[in-house]
């Protein structure tokens, strides 16, 4: 019984992490039809910026609780800097090209950012653990967990609810949905599609960076962390159905639970359990769990 | 009817590469050899891309082909060049025949993602298998060609000329296939599937055939790579390897069956010199190269030749 | 009689060499020796391994070129010829590395190659080095498979293979935790992690036949999130927890595991824990068993050549060198020792006997030529040389694989600084299989010291 409880808690904690790293990807795909490989680099940028800023904050003896604000600010900064350069500077030039070409464009951005990060931060891992331990821990049975992990759950729930609210209950969100459904018609009706794309990409980039900056205090930020995150985020988002928020949440929950169960019961299969789940889901539901049905065009 | 210039290029190319083999500096010969192996995999992707499909999991077949060749040497001591390549090609084709029933139903990004998932599962299985060296993989050595024992000095040229000959053969084969009735229907699938169905063609079957062909070519490329490089590891099935194939495919363009070989040679050359001259920024160099090609040569490198000659 | 005269010739040649080294190295333009140096410059292995190795290599080369290394390495360059390094990135996997190795030799025209941290890269490069007949020194990879599965003429490895890390840790624990009954592991899911766990659990079971394994966790390389693994380890409540995690993954694991009390009961063993140890601070519990993959770093003997390396590294980085820095230094010094031994031998053999005419010219010619690769190989095989981590003997793999002793110690936090105490040293024959034996068979057969 105790083990089952541990599986569920570990699963939820991991799922919320997966949701935070996946939600920006699904947002950008949903609106712009771009499977953004550079999402992993934005995550890494967020992690580096977050740990640098938080590290600076702490090493200067400011109140430690402020380091959480530093993490948040870092994510916003990354979004504000990266988005104009990537979206306005590059993606704008290739809209309308084949989906695969767009993947390749973002793959190139990923390659460039990987080296850029290395040039800016070097290859030594950055280790700023203070914000992680600050909140203390809580116990379930004989297992104790850091409260910071709970905070991550809170952030992912807030992000999910917030985005759902914006999309469904605000004017801007409805415009966004209009653009998703038919870009041309929306443009004809006077929607500034350019702006919608820019804001979406910025939001997606910030979410990616937020995932990174919130993860930073729990790990040692090292080169290559982006690569690992990309495939995980892909798996989560594809399982749920590309472009669906609820899908991303469900995908994260499934992947998180499966992985947690694998680690507890059959650690031998942990390595590829996620891809088995991904393949199975796609076999049963070819377009993911929450796929939006599309009309076939003759 | 335009004259088919492509076929006229292949024969001189074969003679030229075979003759150049012993004369080229060893590193350049090796670079050509490796590029041709990559090119063969990408040639398979070209068939798929003509059908409107892009696989993010060709690493699956590339890796299977390489491991088929490798296990022949490692466990059965059958290190015979043609046999190894044949087995690699067949195994990949066979697995693709099975998976094809499933994948032929998928399109677009879902086709890409499902093929990636399969490739990552193979990667995971191989990493778990310490008998096959886990992530370290194992070495593949070559001792004979069609039963004839090879002297140590001749191995390099034998693998080189085998690769050259086979790539030219499959290049011509794929070229003829794409010009055949069946091959031309691939493009019809890309343009409008439904219309093709109305005309009584089974799109699923067509995709299945092309999928198996692409996989067999990937397996062949993998097996040739195994005998060329002499080492294989599970990284061959990791998603970044498949990503590289897509990268080369887009870089090359789908204009001609010669394009993949041009693209892979350019890719290998850029990468190799970037390693040498900017060891800290070689990834950036590749990324920028790709962006420049996408922005200024949207049809891939091959479009440079198309504009001049006007043939497709 | 013959033997004695040979000795005399070598001795006189050595004298001639050192006097020539002073003059002709400065006067004549001696062709520099180019060494390809392959190490991780990107990816997760760059920070803890690749870059420290590179920094050490560059610093040591500079010191050697200016003749500032301590004896017996105080002659300039390699026998008077200055050394140049051509550095390339090891990232990208074995296939790419084979291509780059060829390019290094044929385009960059290097005379020797020193390199490779990844075991897969070492396995792939060895036959190619053989094909291209290029003397290649592996400096840091650990897998015993290189010389247990193959036999090479042009390939050397100047550090011990990884078997001793597991064996020495098991022997240390036999004394420290004799009552241990249960064993758990957390290792990265790749070849090194699997080998490390297999060797260690086999060694533990050989020493304690009643030992049981509770769980073997194998998270993905670079996973970063270890929550579920830590819960599992906590629930198994094992006496010993083994891990070969390193670099950023190790830091993340320690950071996540320590606050959850994982190490309150179990004895933690980190076989590759030495790099970055200083950064963990209070995140590493006292009494953790730490390996440095040889008597490197804090375990290195306090001798002049070690103090020299420490100073050299500290002036460049402000830090003390970690074990990959020692490995890189050992490879360079080993090659230098072999090269100069070969040069002396060659000079000895070219001194004309009996006729004094042309002696000076002959010697200068021999000096300018330098030894051939074959000469260096002959000198390198079964060589014993001095290093900052003590004596290195090229004893296994027909004289191509180094053996050294090793050391383990446990951590103790003193004024916020992680220090190592209770250090125990193990002689090479106690922790490494003899020539010809497979590591795993030797472990299972009881780890009998070799002769």
């Amino acid at each position: 019984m105790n083990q089952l409880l541990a599986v569920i808690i570990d699963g939820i904690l991991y799922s919320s992490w997966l949701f935070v790293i996946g939600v920006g990807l699904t947002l950008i795909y949903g609106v712009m039809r771009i499977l953004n490989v550079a999402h992993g680099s934005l995550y890494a940028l967020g992690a580096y910026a977050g740990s640098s800023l938080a590290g600076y904050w702490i090493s200067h003896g400011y109140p430690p609780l402020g380091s959480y604000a530093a993490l948040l600010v870092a994510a916003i900064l990354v979004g504000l800097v990266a988005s104009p350069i990537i979206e306005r500077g590059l993606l704008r030039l290739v809209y309308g090209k084949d989906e695969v070409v767009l993947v390749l464009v973002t793959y190139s951005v990923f390659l460039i950012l990987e080296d850029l990060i290395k040039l800016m931060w070097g290859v030594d891992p950055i280790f700023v653990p203070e914000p992680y331990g600050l909140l203390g821990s809580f116990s379930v049975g004989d297992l104790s967990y850091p409260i910071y992990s709970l905070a991550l759950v809170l952030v992912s729930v807030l992000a999910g609810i917030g985005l759902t609210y914006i999309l469904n209950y605000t004017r801007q969100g409805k415009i966004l949905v209009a653009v998703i459904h038919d870009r041309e018609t929306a443009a004809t009706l006077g929607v500034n599609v350019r702006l919608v794309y820019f804001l979406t990409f910025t939001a997606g980039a910030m979410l990616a960076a937020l995932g990174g900056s919130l993860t930073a205090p729990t790990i040692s930020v090292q080169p290559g962390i982006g690569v690992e995150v990309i495939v995980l985020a892909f798996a989560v988002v594809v399982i749920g159905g590309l472009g669906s928020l609820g899908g991303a949440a469900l995908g994260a929950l499934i992947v998180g639970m499966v992985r947690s169960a694998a680690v507890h019961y059959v650690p031998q299969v942990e390595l590829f359990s996620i891809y088995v789940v991904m393949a199975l889901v796609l076999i049963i539901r070819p377009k993911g769990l929450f796929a939006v049905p599309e009309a076939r065009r003759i | 009817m335009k004259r088919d210039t492509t076929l006229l290029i292949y024969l001189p190319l074969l003679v030229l590469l075979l003759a150049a083999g012993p004369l080229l500096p060893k590193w350049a010969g090796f670079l050509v050899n490796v590029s041709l192996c990559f090119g063969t995999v990408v040639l398979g992707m070209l068939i798929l891309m003509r059908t409107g499909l892009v696989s993010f999991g060709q690493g699956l077949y590339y890796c299977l082909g390489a491991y088929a060749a490798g296990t022949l040497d490692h466990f059965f001591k059958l290190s015979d060049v043609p046999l190894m390549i044949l087995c690699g090609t067949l195994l990949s084709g066979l697995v693709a025949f099975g998976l094809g029933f499933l994948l032929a139903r998928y399109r677009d990004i879902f086709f890409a993602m499902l093929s990636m998932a399969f490739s990552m599962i193979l990667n995971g299985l191989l990493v778990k298998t310490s008998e096959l060296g886990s992530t370290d993989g194992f070495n593949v050595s070559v001792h004979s060609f069609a039963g004839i024992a090879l002297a140590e000095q001749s191995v390099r040229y034998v693998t080189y000329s085998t690769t050259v000959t086979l790539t030219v053969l499959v290049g011509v084969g794929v070229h003829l296939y794409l010009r055949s009735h069946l091959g031309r229907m691939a493009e019809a699938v890309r343009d409008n599937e439904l219309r093709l169905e109305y005309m009584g063609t089974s799109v699923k079957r067509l995709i299945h055939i092309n999928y198996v062909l692409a996989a067999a070519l990937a397996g062949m490329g993998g097996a040739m790579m195994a005998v060329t490089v002499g080492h294989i590891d599970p990284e061959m099935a990791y998603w970044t390897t498949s990503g590289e194939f897509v990268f080369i495919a887009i870089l090359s363009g789908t204009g001609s069956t010669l394009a993949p070989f041009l693209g892979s040679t350019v890719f290998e050359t850029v990468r190799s010199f970037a390693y040498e001259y900017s060891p800290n920024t070689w990834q950036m160099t590749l990324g920028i190269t790709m962006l420049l090609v996408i922005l200024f040569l949207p049809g891939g490198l091959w479009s440079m030749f198309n504009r001049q000659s006007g043939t497709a | 009689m013959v033997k004695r005269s040979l000795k005399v010739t070598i001795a006189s040649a050595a004298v001639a060499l050192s006097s020539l080294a002073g003059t002709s190295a400065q006067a004549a333009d001696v062709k520099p020796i180019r060494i390809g140096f392959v190490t991780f410059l990107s990816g997760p292995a760059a920070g803890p391994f690749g870059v420290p190795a590179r920094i050490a290599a560059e610093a040591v080369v500079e010191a050697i070129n200016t003749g500032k290394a301590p004896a017996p390495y105080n002659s300039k360059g390699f026998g008077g010829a200055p050394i140049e390094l051509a550095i390339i990135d090891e990232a990208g996997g074995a296939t790419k590395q084979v291509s780059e190795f060829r390019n290094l030799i044929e385009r960059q025209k290097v005379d020797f190659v020193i390199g490779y941290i990844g075991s897969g890269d070492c396995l792939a490069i060895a036959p190619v080095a053989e094909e291209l007949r290029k003397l290649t020194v592996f400096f840091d990879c650990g897998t015993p498979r290189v010389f247990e599965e193959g036999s090479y003429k042009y390939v050397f490895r100047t550090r011990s293979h990884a078997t001793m890390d597991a064996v020495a840790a098991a022997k240390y624990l036999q004394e420290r935790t004799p009552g241990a009954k249960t064993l758990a592991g957390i290792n990265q899911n790749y070849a090194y992690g699997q080998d490390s766990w297999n060797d260690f659990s086999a060694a533990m079971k050989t020493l304690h036949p009643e030992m049981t394994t509770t769980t073997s966790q194998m998270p993905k390389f670079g996973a970063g999130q270890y929550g579920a693994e830590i819960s599992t380890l906590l629930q198994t409540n094992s006496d010993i927890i083994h891990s070969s995690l390193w670099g950023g993954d190790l830091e993340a694991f320690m950071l996540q595991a320590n606050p959850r009390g994982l190490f309150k009961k179990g004895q933690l063993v980190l076989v590759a824990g030495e790099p970055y140890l200083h950064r963990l601070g209070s995140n590493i519990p006292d009494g953790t068993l730490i390996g440095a993959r040889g008597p490197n770093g804090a375990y290195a003997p306090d001798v002049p050549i070690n103090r020299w390396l420490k100073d050299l590294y500290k002036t460049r980085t402000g830090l003390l060198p970690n074990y990959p820095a020692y490995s890189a230094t050992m490879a360079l010094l080993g090659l230098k020792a072999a090269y100069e031994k070969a040069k002396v031998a060659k000079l000895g053999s070219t001194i004309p006997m009996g006729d004094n005419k042309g002696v000076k010219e002959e010697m200068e010619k021999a000096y300018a030529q330098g030894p051939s690769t074959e000469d260096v190989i002959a000198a390198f095989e079964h060589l014993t040389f001095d290093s900052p981590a003590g004596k290195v003997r090229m004893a296994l793999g027909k004289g191509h694989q180094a053996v050294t002793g090793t050391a383990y110690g446990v951590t103790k936090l003193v004024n916020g600084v992680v220090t190592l105490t209770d250090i125990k040293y193990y002689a090479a024959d106690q922790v490494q299989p003899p020539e010809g034996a497979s590591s795993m068979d030797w472990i299972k057969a009881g780890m009998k010291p070799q002769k």
Side-chain angles (χ1 to χ4, degrees), chain B residues 104-299:
Chain B
R105 298 179 2 221
Y106 291 77
R107 301 292 179 273
D108 304 327
I109 211 79
F110 303 98
F111 176 83
M113 287 292 132
L114 187 56
S115 43
M116 186 187 91
F118 284 126
S119 164
M120 291 298 286
I121 291 172
L122 177 69
N123 173 267
L125 285 171
L126 289 175
V127 168
K128 291 289 327 174
T129 313
S130 51
E131 291 74 23
L132 293 175
S134 179
T135 44
D136 281 351
F138 56 88
N139 287 340
V140 181
S141 53
V142 167
H143 298 302
S144 65
F145 184 90
I148 305 157
L150 295 173
E152 199 197 321
Q153 308 91 303
S154 59
V155 166
R156 187 58 40 214
Y157 186 66
V158 167
T159 53
Y160 172 83
S161 47
T162 312
T163 313
V164 168
T165 315
L166 281 174
T167 27
V168 169
L169 279 177
V170 295
V172 171
V174 170
H175 179 75
L176 292 176
Y177 170 73
L178 289 174
R179 290 174 63 90
S180 73
H181 178 67
L182 202 61
R184 285 193 188 277
M185 272 200 292
E187 282 174 69
V189 173
R190 185 182 60 187
D191 294 340
N192 197 323
E193 229 181 82
L194 215 50
R195 209 173 279 169
L196 207 62
E197 287 274 2
Y198 287 153
M199 295 192 319
T201 315
S202 166
V203 169
K204 213 180 256 182
R205 204 177 121 244
L206 193 69
I207 289 180
H208 198 162
I209 292 172
N210 286 350
Y211 182 71
V212 172
L213 285 179
L217 286 172
M220 184 186 223
M224 292 194 303
M225 192 63 103
V227 297
T228 303
V229 173
H231 184 83
I232 54 179
D233 58 45
E235 180 119 354
M236 297 176 107
Y238 197 64
W239 74 271
T240 47
T241 307
S242 303
E244 233 161 57
F245 294 139
V246 182
F247 191 104
I248 300 174
I250 301 284
L251 185 77
S252 315
T254 56
S256 159
T257 51
L258 286 164
F261 301 108
L262 174 76
S264 59
T265 311
V266 169
F267 174 82
E268 269 299 299
T269 312
V270 170
R271 195 183 55 70
S272 139
F273 280 92
Y275 250 78
E276 187 175 325
Y277 292 107
S278 64
N280 282 309
T281 50
W282 59 272
Q283 298 189 87
M284 195 183 276
T285 315
L286 282 181
I288 291 171
T289 311
M290 187 74 222
L291 286 181
L292 291 178
V293 169
I294 290 176
L295 289 176
F296 299 108
L297 288 170

Side-chain angles (χ1 to χ4, degrees), chain A residues 51-66:
Chain A
S51 52
S52 296
L53 213 57
Y56 178 86
W57 184 270
I58 286 158
S59 65
H60 280 70
Y62 299 126
L65 278 176

